[in-house]
Coordinates of all heavy atoms in Angstrom, one line a residue:
V81 N 83.3 76.0 92.3 CA 82.6 77.2 92.0 C 83.5 78.2 91.3 O 83.1 78.8 90.3 CB 82.0 77.8 93.3 CG1 81.4 79.2 93.0 CG2 80.8 76.9 93.8
S82 N 84.7 78.3 91.8 CA 85.7 79.3 91.3 C 86.0 78.9 89.8 O 86.1 79.7 88.9 CB 86.9 79.4 92.2 OG 87.9 80.2 91.6
N83 N 86.3 77.6 89.6 CA 86.6 77.1 88.3 C 85.4 77.3 87.3 O 85.7 77.8 86.2 CB 86.9 75.6 88.3 CG 88.2 75.2 89.0 OD1 89.1 76.0 89.2 ND2 88.3 74.0 89.4
F84 N 84.2 77.1 87.8 CA 83.0 77.3 86.9 C 82.9 78.7 86.5 O 82.6 79.1 85.4 CB 81.8 76.8 87.6 CG 80.5 76.9 86.8 CD1 80.3 76.1 85.7 CD2 79.6 77.8 87.2 CE1 79.1 76.2 85.0 CE2 78.4 77.9 86.5 CZ 78.2 77.1 85.4
A85 N 83.1 79.6 87.5 CA 82.9 81.1 87.2 C 84.0 81.5 86.3 O 83.8 82.3 85.4 CB 83.0 81.9 88.6
S86 N 85.3 81.1 86.5 CA 86.4 81.4 85.6 C 86.1 80.9 84.2 O 86.4 81.6 83.2 CB 87.7 80.9 86.1 OG 88.0 81.5 87.4
N87 N 85.5 79.7 84.1 CA 85.3 79.2 82.8 C 84.3 80.0 82.0 O 84.3 80.1 80.8 CB 84.7 77.7 82.9 CG 84.8 76.9 81.6 OD1 85.9 76.8 81.1 ND2 83.7 76.4 81.1
L88 N 83.3 80.6 82.7 CA 82.3 81.5 82.0 C 83.0 82.7 81.4 O 82.4 83.3 80.5 CB 81.2 81.9 83.1 CG 80.4 80.8 83.6 CD1 79.5 81.3 84.7 CD2 79.5 80.1 82.5
D89 N 84.1 83.1 82.0 CA 84.8 84.3 81.5 C 85.6 84.1 80.2 O 86.0 85.0 79.5 CB 85.7 84.9 82.5 CG 85.0 85.5 83.7 OD1 83.8 86.0 83.5 OD2 85.5 85.6 84.8
L90 N 85.9 82.8 79.9 CA 86.8 82.5 78.8 C 86.4 82.9 77.5 O 87.2 83.5 76.7 CB 87.1 81.0 78.8 CG 88.0 80.5 80.0 CD1 88.1 79.0 80.1 CD2 89.4 81.1 79.9
P91 N 85.1 82.8 77.1 CA 84.7 83.3 75.8 C 84.9 84.8 75.6 O 85.3 85.2 74.6 CB 83.2 82.9 75.7 CG 83.1 81.7 76.6 CD 84.0 82.0 77.7
G92 N 84.5 85.5 76.7 CA 84.8 87.0 76.6 C 86.2 87.3 76.5 O 86.6 88.2 75.8
D93 N 87.1 86.5 77.3 CA 88.5 86.7 77.2 C 89.0 86.5 75.7 O 89.9 87.2 75.2 CB 89.3 85.8 78.1 CG 89.0 86.2 79.6 OD1 88.7 87.3 79.9 OD2 89.2 85.3 80.5
A94 N 88.5 85.4 75.1 CA 88.9 85.1 73.8 C 88.5 86.2 72.8 O 89.3 86.6 71.9 CB 88.2 83.8 73.3
V95 N 87.3 86.7 72.9 CA 86.8 87.8 72.0 C 87.7 89.0 72.2 O 88.1 89.7 71.2 CB 85.4 88.2 72.3 CG1 85.0 89.4 71.6 CG2 84.4 87.0 71.9
N96 N 88.0 89.4 73.5 CA 88.9 90.5 73.7 C 90.3 90.3 73.1 O 91.0 91.2 72.7 CB 89.0 90.8 75.2 CG 87.8 91.7 75.7 OD1 87.6 92.8 75.2 ND2 87.0 91.2 76.6
G97 N 90.7 89.0 73.1 CA 92.0 88.7 72.5 C 92.0 89.0 71.1 O 93.0 89.6 70.5
V98 N 90.9 88.7 70.4 CA 90.8 89.1 68.9 C 90.9 90.6 68.8 O 91.6 91.1 67.9 CB 89.5 88.5 68.3 CG1 89.3 89.0 66.9 CG2 89.6 87.0 68.3
L99 N 90.1 91.3 69.6 CA 90.0 92.8 69.5 C 91.3 93.4 69.8 O 91.6 94.5 69.3 CB 88.9 93.3 70.4 CG 87.5 92.8 70.1 CD1 86.5 93.3 71.2 CD2 87.0 93.3 68.7
Q100 N 92.1 92.8 70.6 CA 93.4 93.3 70.9 C 94.5 92.9 69.9 O 95.7 93.3 70.1 CB 93.8 92.8 72.3 CG 93.0 93.3 73.5 CD 93.1 92.6 74.8 OE1 94.1 91.8 74.9 NE2 92.2 92.8 75.7
G101 N 94.2 92.1 68.9 CA 95.1 91.6 68.0 C 96.1 90.7 68.6 O 97.3 90.6 68.2
N102 N 95.6 89.9 69.5 CA 96.5 88.9 70.2 C 96.0 87.5 70.0 O 95.2 86.9 70.7 CB 96.4 89.2 71.7 CG 97.4 88.4 72.6 OD1 97.8 87.3 72.2 ND2 97.8 89.0 73.7
P103 N 96.4 86.9 68.9 CA 95.9 85.5 68.5 C 96.3 84.5 69.5 O 95.5 83.5 69.7 CB 96.6 85.3 67.2 CG 97.8 86.2 67.1 CD 97.4 87.4 67.9
E104 N 97.4 84.6 70.2 CA 97.8 83.6 71.2 C 96.8 83.6 72.4 O 96.4 82.6 72.8 CB 99.2 84.0 71.7 CG 99.7 82.9 72.8 CD 101.1 83.3 73.2 OE1 101.7 84.2 72.7 OE2 101.6 82.6 74.2
R105 N 96.4 84.8 72.8 CA 95.4 84.9 73.9 C 94.1 84.3 73.4 O 93.4 83.6 74.2 CB 95.2 86.4 74.3 CG 94.1 86.6 75.2 CD 94.2 88.1 75.8 NE 95.1 88.1 76.9 CZ 95.6 89.3 77.4 NH1 95.2 90.4 76.9 NH2 96.4 89.2 78.4
F106 N 93.7 84.5 72.2 CA 92.4 84.0 71.7 C 92.5 82.4 71.7 O 91.6 81.8 72.2 CB 92.2 84.5 70.3 CG 91.1 83.8 69.5 CD1 89.8 84.0 69.8 CD2 91.4 82.8 68.6 CE1 88.7 83.4 69.2 CE2 90.4 82.2 67.9 CZ 89.0 82.4 68.2
V107 N 93.6 81.9 71.1 CA 93.7 80.4 71.0 C 93.7 79.8 72.4 O 93.1 78.8 72.6 CB 94.9 80.1 70.1 CG1 95.2 78.5 70.2 CG2 94.7 80.5 68.7
T108 N 94.5 80.4 73.2 CA 94.7 79.8 74.6 C 93.3 79.7 75.3 O 93.0 78.7 75.9 CB 95.7 80.6 75.4 OG1 96.9 80.6 74.8 CG2 95.7 80.1 76.8
N109 N 92.6 80.8 75.3 CA 91.3 80.8 76.0 C 90.2 79.9 75.4 O 89.4 79.3 76.0 CB 90.8 82.3 76.1 CG 91.6 83.1 77.1 OD1 92.0 82.6 78.2 ND2 91.9 84.3 76.8
V110 N 90.2 79.9 74.0 CA 89.3 79.0 73.3 C 89.6 77.5 73.6 O 88.7 76.7 73.9 CB 89.3 79.2 71.8 CG1 88.6 78.1 71.1 CG2 88.7 80.6 71.5
L111 N 90.9 77.2 73.6 CA 91.3 75.8 73.9 C 91.0 75.4 75.3 O 90.4 74.3 75.6 CB 92.8 75.6 73.6 CG 93.4 74.3 73.9 CD1 92.7 73.2 73.1 CD2 94.9 74.3 73.7
R112 N 91.2 76.3 76.3 CA 90.9 76.1 77.7 C 89.4 75.9 77.9 O 89.0 75.0 78.6 CB 91.5 77.2 78.5 CG 91.2 77.0 80.0 CD 91.9 78.2 80.8 NE 91.4 78.1 82.2 CZ 92.0 77.3 83.1 NH1 93.0 76.6 82.8 NH2 91.6 77.3 84.4
F113 N 88.6 76.7 77.2 CA 87.2 76.6 77.4 C 86.7 75.3 76.8 O 85.8 74.7 77.4 CB 86.5 77.8 76.7 CG 85.0 77.8 76.8 CD1 84.4 78.2 78.0 CD2 84.2 77.5 75.7 CE1 83.0 78.2 78.1 CE2 82.8 77.5 75.8 CZ 82.2 77.9 77.0
A114 N 87.2 74.9 75.7 CA 86.8 73.7 75.0 C 87.1 72.5 75.9 O 86.3 71.6 76.1 CB 87.4 73.5 73.7
V115 N 88.3 72.4 76.5 CA 88.7 71.3 77.3 C 87.9 71.3 78.6 O 87.4 70.2 79.0 CB 90.2 71.4 77.6 CG1 90.6 70.3 78.6 CG2 91.0 71.2 76.3
N116 N 87.9 72.4 79.3 CA 87.2 72.4 80.6 C 85.7 72.3 80.5 O 85.1 71.8 81.5 CB 87.6 73.7 81.4 CG 89.0 73.6 82.0 OD1 89.7 72.6 81.9 ND2 89.4 74.7 82.6
S117 N 85.1 72.7 79.4 CA 83.7 72.6 79.3 C 83.2 71.2 79.0 O 82.1 70.8 79.2 CB 83.1 73.6 78.2 OG 83.4 74.9 78.6
T118 N 84.1 70.4 78.5 CA 83.8 69.0 78.1 C 84.4 68.0 79.1 O 83.7 67.5 80.0 CB 84.4 68.7 76.7 OG1 85.8 69.0 76.6 CG2 83.6 69.5 75.7
I119 N 85.7 67.9 79.1 CA 86.4 66.9 80.1 C 86.2 67.4 81.5 O 86.1 66.6 82.4 CB 87.9 66.8 79.7 CG1 88.1 66.3 78.3 CG2 88.6 65.8 80.7 CD1 89.5 66.3 77.8
G120 N 86.2 68.8 81.7 CA 86.1 69.3 83.0 C 84.7 69.5 83.5 O 84.4 70.2 84.5
I121 N 83.7 68.9 82.8 CA 82.3 68.9 83.2 C 81.8 70.3 83.4 O 81.4 70.7 84.5 CB 82.0 68.0 84.5 CG1 82.7 66.7 84.3 CG2 80.5 67.8 84.7 CD1 82.6 65.8 85.5
G122 N 81.7 71.0 82.3 CA 81.1 72.4 82.4 C 82.0 73.4 83.1 O 81.6 74.5 83.4
G123 N 83.3 73.0 83.3 CA 84.2 73.9 84.0 C 84.4 73.7 85.5 O 85.1 74.5 86.1
L124 N 83.7 72.7 86.0 CA 83.8 72.5 87.5 C 85.2 72.0 87.8 O 85.7 72.3 88.9 CB 82.8 71.4 87.9 CG 81.3 71.9 87.9 CD1 80.4 70.7 88.2 CD2 81.1 73.0 88.8
F125 N 85.9 71.3 86.9 CA 87.2 70.9 87.1 C 88.2 71.6 86.1 O 87.7 72.2 85.1 CB 87.3 69.4 86.9 CG 86.4 68.6 87.9 CD1 85.2 68.2 87.5 CD2 86.8 68.4 89.2 CE1 84.3 67.5 88.4 CE2 86.0 67.7 90.1 CZ 84.8 67.3 89.7
D126 N 89.4 71.5 86.3 CA 90.4 72.2 85.5 C 91.4 71.3 84.8 O 92.6 71.4 85.1 CB 91.1 73.3 86.3 CG 92.0 74.2 85.5 OD1 91.9 74.2 84.3 OD2 92.8 74.9 86.2
P127 N 91.0 70.4 84.0 CA 92.0 69.5 83.3 C 92.9 70.3 82.4 O 94.1 70.0 82.1 CB 91.2 68.6 82.5 CG 89.9 69.2 82.3 CD 89.7 70.0 83.6
A128 N 92.4 71.5 81.8 CA 93.3 72.3 81.0 C 94.5 72.8 81.7 O 95.6 72.9 81.2 CB 92.5 73.4 80.4
G129 N 94.2 73.2 83.0 CA 95.3 73.7 83.8 C 96.4 72.6 84.0 O 97.6 72.9 84.0
A130 N 95.9 71.4 84.2 CA 96.9 70.3 84.4 C 97.7 70.0 83.1 O 98.8 69.5 83.2 CB 96.1 69.0 84.8
M131 N 97.1 70.4 82.0 CA 97.8 70.3 80.7 C 98.7 71.5 80.4 O 99.4 71.5 79.4 CB 96.8 70.1 79.5 CG 95.9 69.0 79.6 SD 94.7 69.0 78.3 CE 93.6 67.6 78.8
G132 N 98.7 72.5 81.3 CA 99.5 73.6 81.1 C 98.9 74.7 80.3 O 99.5 75.7 79.9
V133 N 97.5 74.6 80.1 CA 96.8 75.6 79.3 C 96.1 76.5 80.4 O 95.0 76.1 80.9 CB 95.8 75.0 78.4 CG1 95.1 76.1 77.6 CG2 96.5 74.1 77.4
H134 N 96.6 77.7 80.7 CA 96.1 78.5 81.7 C 95.4 79.7 81.1 O 95.7 80.2 80.0 CB 97.2 79.0 82.7 CG 97.9 77.8 83.3 ND1 97.4 77.1 84.3 CD2 99.2 77.3 83.1 CE1 98.2 76.1 84.7 NE2 99.3 76.3 84.0
Q135 N 94.4 80.2 81.9 CA 93.6 81.4 81.4 C 94.5 82.6 81.2 O 95.3 83.0 82.0 CB 92.5 81.7 82.5 CG 91.6 82.8 82.0 CD 90.5 83.1 83.1 OE1 90.6 82.6 84.2 NE2 89.5 83.8 82.7
S136 N 94.3 83.2 80.0 CA 94.9 84.5 79.7 C 93.9 85.6 80.0 O 93.1 86.0 79.1 CB 95.4 84.5 78.3 OG 96.1 85.7 78.0
K137 N 93.8 86.0 81.2 CA 92.6 86.8 81.6 C 92.8 88.2 81.1 O 93.9 88.8 81.1 CB 92.6 86.8 83.2 CG 91.3 87.4 83.7 CD 91.1 87.1 85.2 CE 89.8 87.6 85.7 NZ 88.7 87.0 85.0
T138 N 91.7 88.8 80.6 CA 91.7 90.1 80.1 C 90.2 90.7 80.2 O 89.3 90.0 80.7 CB 92.2 90.2 78.7 OG1 92.3 91.5 78.2 CG2 91.3 89.4 77.7
D139 N 90.0 91.8 79.7 CA 88.7 92.4 79.7 C 88.6 93.6 78.7 O 89.7 93.9 78.0 CB 88.3 93.0 81.1 CG 89.4 93.9 81.7 OD1 89.8 94.9 81.0 OD2 90.0 93.5 82.7
F140 N 87.5 94.1 78.5 CA 87.3 95.2 77.4 C 88.0 96.5 77.9 O 88.4 97.3 77.0 CB 85.9 95.4 77.1 CG 85.6 96.2 75.9 CD1 85.9 95.7 74.6 CD2 85.2 97.6 76.0 CE1 85.7 96.4 73.5 CE2 85.1 98.3 74.8 CZ 85.3 97.8 73.6
G141 N 88.2 96.7 79.2 CA 89.0 97.8 79.6 C 90.4 97.7 79.1 O 91.0 98.7 78.7
E142 N 91.0 96.5 79.1 CA 92.3 96.3 78.6 C 92.3 96.5 77.0 O 93.3 97.0 76.5 CB 92.9 95.0 78.9 CG 94.3 94.7 78.4 CD 95.0 93.5 78.9 OE1 94.3 92.7 79.7 OE2 96.1 93.2 78.5
T143 N 91.2 96.1 76.4 CA 91.1 96.3 75.0 C 91.1 97.8 74.6 O 91.8 98.2 73.7 CB 89.8 95.6 74.4 OG1 89.8 94.2 74.7 CG2 89.6 95.9 73.0
L144 N 90.4 98.6 75.4 CA 90.4 100.0 75.2 C 91.8 100.6 75.4 O 92.2 101.5 74.7 CB 89.4 100.7 76.1 CG 87.9 100.4 75.9 CD1 87.1 101.0 77.0 CD2 87.5 100.9 74.5
H145 N 92.5 100.0 76.4 CA 93.9 100.5 76.6 C 94.8 100.1 75.4 O 95.6 101.0 75.0 CB 94.4 99.7 77.9 CG 95.9 99.8 78.0 ND1 96.7 100.9 78.3 CD2 96.9 98.8 77.8 CE1 98.0 100.6 78.3 NE2 98.1 99.3 78.0
V146 N 94.6 98.9 74.8 CA 95.4 98.6 73.7 C 95.0 99.5 72.5 O 95.9 99.8 71.6 CB 95.1 97.1 73.3 CG1 95.7 96.7 71.9 CG2 95.7 96.2 74.4
W147 N 93.8 99.9 72.4 CA 93.4 100.8 71.3 C 93.8 102.2 71.5 O 93.6 103.1 70.7 CB 91.8 100.8 71.2 CG 91.3 99.5 70.7 CD1 92.0 98.4 70.2 CD2 89.9 99.1 70.5 NE1 91.1 97.4 69.7 CE2 89.9 97.8 70.0 CE3 88.7 99.7 70.9 CZ2 88.7 97.2 69.7 CZ3 87.5 99.1 70.6 CH2 87.5 97.8 70.1
G148 N 94.5 102.5 72.6 CA 95.0 103.9 72.9 C 94.2 104.8 73.7 O 94.4 106.0 73.8
V149 N 93.1 104.2 74.4 CA 92.3 105.0 75.3 C 92.9 105.2 76.6 O 93.3 104.2 77.2 CB 90.9 104.4 75.4 CG1 90.0 105.2 76.4 CG2 90.2 104.2 74.1
G150 N 93.1 106.4 77.1 CA 93.7 106.6 78.4 C 92.7 106.1 79.5 O 91.5 106.0 79.3
E151 N 93.3 106.0 80.7 CA 92.5 105.5 81.8 C 91.4 106.4 82.3 O 90.4 106.0 82.9 CB 93.3 105.0 83.0 CG 94.0 106.1 83.8 CD 94.9 105.7 84.9 OE1 95.3 104.5 84.9 OE2 95.2 106.5 85.8
G152 N 91.6 107.7 82.1 CA 90.6 108.7 82.5 C 90.6 108.9 84.0 O 91.5 108.5 84.7
A153 N 89.5 109.5 84.5 CA 89.4 109.9 85.9 C 89.2 108.6 86.7 O 88.6 107.6 86.3 CB 88.3 110.9 86.1
Y154 N 89.7 108.7 88.0 CA 89.4 107.6 88.9 C 87.9 107.7 89.4 O 87.5 108.9 89.6 CB 90.3 107.7 90.1 CG 90.0 106.7 91.2 CD1 90.4 105.4 91.2 CD2 89.3 107.1 92.4 CE1 90.1 104.5 92.2 CE2 89.0 106.2 93.4 CZ 89.4 104.9 93.3 OH 89.1 104.0 94.3
V155 N 87.2 106.6 89.5 CA 85.9 106.6 90.0 C 85.7 105.5 91.0 O 86.3 104.4 90.8 CB 84.8 106.6 88.9 CG1 84.8 107.8 88.0 CG2 85.0 105.3 88.0
E156 N 84.8 105.6 91.9 CA 84.4 104.5 92.8 C 82.9 104.3 92.5 O 82.1 105.2 92.7 CB 84.7 104.7 94.2 CG 84.2 103.6 95.1 CD 85.1 103.3 96.4 OE1 86.1 104.0 96.5 OE2 84.7 102.5 97.2

Side-chain angles (χ1 to χ4, degrees):
V81 170
S82 178
N83 288 341
F84 181 70
S86 295
N87 197 59
L88 294 174
D89 288 336
L90 290 171
D93 291 338
V95 170
N96 277 301
V98 172
L99 297 175
Q100 293 164 15
N102 190 331
E104 181 179 354
R105 172 168 279 170
F106 169 76
V107 171
T108 297
N109 287 322
V110 168
L111 178 59
R112 181 176 171 83
F113 182 75
V115 172
N116 283 357
S117 296
T118 53
I119 303 174
I121 313 178
L124 292 175
F125 301 97
D126 185 18
M131 299 174 187
V133 182
H134 301 288
Q135 182 177 15
S136 182
K137 194 165 181 61
T138 187
D139 51 59
F140 194 71
E142 183 172 359
T143 297
L144 292 174
H145 163 73
V146 171
W147 289 354
V149 179
E151 70 180 20
Y154 174 81
V155 294
E156 179 148 351

